[in-house]
Amino acid sequence: EMASSADGSVALNLNEPADPVLQGLASAGHSEYVRLYTAAATARRENTLAAVEALGAVQRAPCVDRAGRPVFLFYPSRLAAGGASGVTLERVTAHALLLMHEHVVARGGEYAVVWVTNNLEPDELGWRWFVSTYRMVPHAYHKQMRSLAVVHPAVSTRLTLLALSYLLRASFWDKLVYADRVEFLDEVVESVAALDLPAGLLEYDRFLDREMAATTAQAEGHAGGFGLGAALGGGGGLGLGFGGGGGAMGGPGGDPLGIAHGARFEEWRAEERRKEGSGAGGGGAGGGPLLRGLRHRLHQRGSADRALQGQEAPRRRGTATRRRRER
């Protein structure tokens, strides 16, 4: 087994047989990956993973994708709660590697990811974390990921992916799914219900439908019928409409930080609870023809955003290469 020393280097623990896969990774320059994985594996043997597992920031889904591959669920919104129990971002990252290593690296298996963005609280993951993690993991994680579905992608999420485009291969954009609504995850799995997503996420989904319908109606009233395109992000941008917390960006008055957006959600949820308590039933936007049409256009908008970012990626990589050569 590998052991990490105080200075961060990786060495063999001669008391146990060495893992040839980890040895190879350490020799190939992935010592940080080996360190994190080894720390998580040790914690599992010592039964000290309870707090990390209870946080639920990274999970293996109870179902597989449409091709029978395992699906891994990421909930970055839960990271903030880890501070109270001493669960750091490094420990969560190590736990993710522990969950995925055997299938992805040791067996060379393909996999899918569902990333549930957090649009109501400050983001715990910065751009530097994405860059360092992308470079830290072995190539198998890049090559064998067959799909990445981002649920409720906020404006910041889309811009982060665009900023990372100089790192990402062109094939990445074919794997990306912008699931602006939970139902769009049917591109990845046969049954969205089988993912066992949190009830609060589905509730937020209904709220976004309500916001989309209300903003579209308002925009059509002011724009004489052109409100649908405006509400869904316009015709040439990166879908700055109802992608999630960025939905407030497309809403009345503009709300880049999502403050009013979060307040409206809390008000809507309180009203829904009141209606349920009085037996009046939910007050969601409903599933009529208008809403189904809006969802269809929203799905098209997500596909267009993905295609636009994919076209932009080669240009950004070329610019980055020229700058390195100039230096």
Side-chain angles (χ1 to χ4, degrees):
E1 177 173 331
M2 298 287 182
S4 55
S5 61
D7 62 0
S9 62
V10 178
L12 287 175
N13 182 345
L14 299 179
N15 295 324
E16 297 186 26
D19 183 327
V21 174
L22 294 180
Q23 275 189 317
L25 290 174
S27 300
H30 293 289
S31 58
E32 177 64 6
Y33 175 90
V34 174
R35 182 186 72 82
L36 291 174
Y37 172 80
T38 302
T42 300
R44 180 172 58 185
R45 285 197 307 273
E46 297 175 352
N47 296 318
T48 57
L49 277 178
V52 180
E53 293 173 337
L55 188 63
V58 185
Q59 307 171 26
R60 182 163 177 165
C63 64
V64 294
D65 73 359
R66 286 181 172 272
R69 297 177 286 244
V71 178
F72 295 94
L73 301 169
F74 289 79
Y75 294 96
S77 62
R78 298 178 177 178
L79 292 172
S85 54
V87 177
T88 63
L89 177 57
E90 179 174 294
R91 291 183 65 191
V92 173
T93 303
H95 183 233
L97 303 182
L98 182 67
L99 289 178
M100 303 175 74
H101 172 85
E102 184 64 27
H103 177 79
V104 178
V105 180
R107 300 177 188 170
E110 297 178 339
Y111 68 102
V113 170
V114 172
W115 185 279
V116 182
T117 58
N118 173 31
N119 299 320
L120 299 174
E121 300 173 10
D123 194 349
E124 295 289 321
L125 300 178
W127 181 80
R128 290 181 181 275
W129 180 87
F130 287 102
V131 172
S132 63
T133 302
Y134 183 88
R135 290 172 171 167
M136 178 262 293
V137 299
H139 181 62
Y141 283 90
H142 308 158
K143 180 181 178 181
Q144 283 139 226
M145 184 183 73
R146 305 317 303 163
S147 66
L148 167 62
V150 184
V151 182
H152 300 151
V155 174
S156 59
T157 303
R158 298 171 192 243
L159 294 179
T160 296
L161 287 172
L162 185 61
L164 292 172
S165 61
Y166 75 95
L167 283 175
L168 305 173
R169 293 176 179 268
S171 59
F172 169 83
W173 305 103
D174 296 326
K175 304 175 184 180
L176 179 63
V177 176
Y178 279 144
D180 291 279
R181 295 296 180 273
V182 169
E183 65 187 76
F184 298 165
L185 290 174
D186 62 3
E187 287 192 42
V188 179
V189 294
E190 290 280 353
S191 169
V192 176
L195 287 171
D196 195 25
L197 298 172
L201 182 65
L202 306 180
E203 190 175 42
Y204 182 68
D205 211 61
R206 296 201 312 274
F207 166 73
L208 290 179
D209 276 345
R210 178 259 191 191
E211 288 276 280
M212 180 171 63
T215 303
T216 299
Q218 184 183 53
E220 286 180 342
H222 290 298
F226 291 98
L228 182 60
L232 296 179
L238 289 175
L240 303 185
F242 286 89
M249 289 281 285
D255 179 28
L257 299 179
I259 297 172
H261 179 77
R264 288 197 303 273
F265 173 62
E266 293 301 330
E267 291 174 1
W268 174 85
R269 182 159 58 178
E271 180 64 13
E272 289 293 288
R273 297 287 189 270
R274 186 191 64 77
K275 289 179 179 179
E276 290 173 2
S278 64
L290 173 61
L291 187 53
R292 286 196 296 271
L294 289 173
R295 285 173 176 162
H296 177 68
R297 287 291 299 275
L298 185 62
H299 201 179
Q300 290 180 320
R301 178 73 265 170
S303 299
D305 287 351
R306 179 179 60 189
L308 179 63
Q309 289 178 307
Q311 293 168 7
E312 177 74 4
R315 187 187 69 80
R316 289 179 59 82
R317 282 197 298 272
T319 300
T321 300
R322 285 195 300 272
R323 287 176 177 171
R324 284 196 297 270
R325 288 173 177 170
E326 290 170 0
R327 289 197 295 267

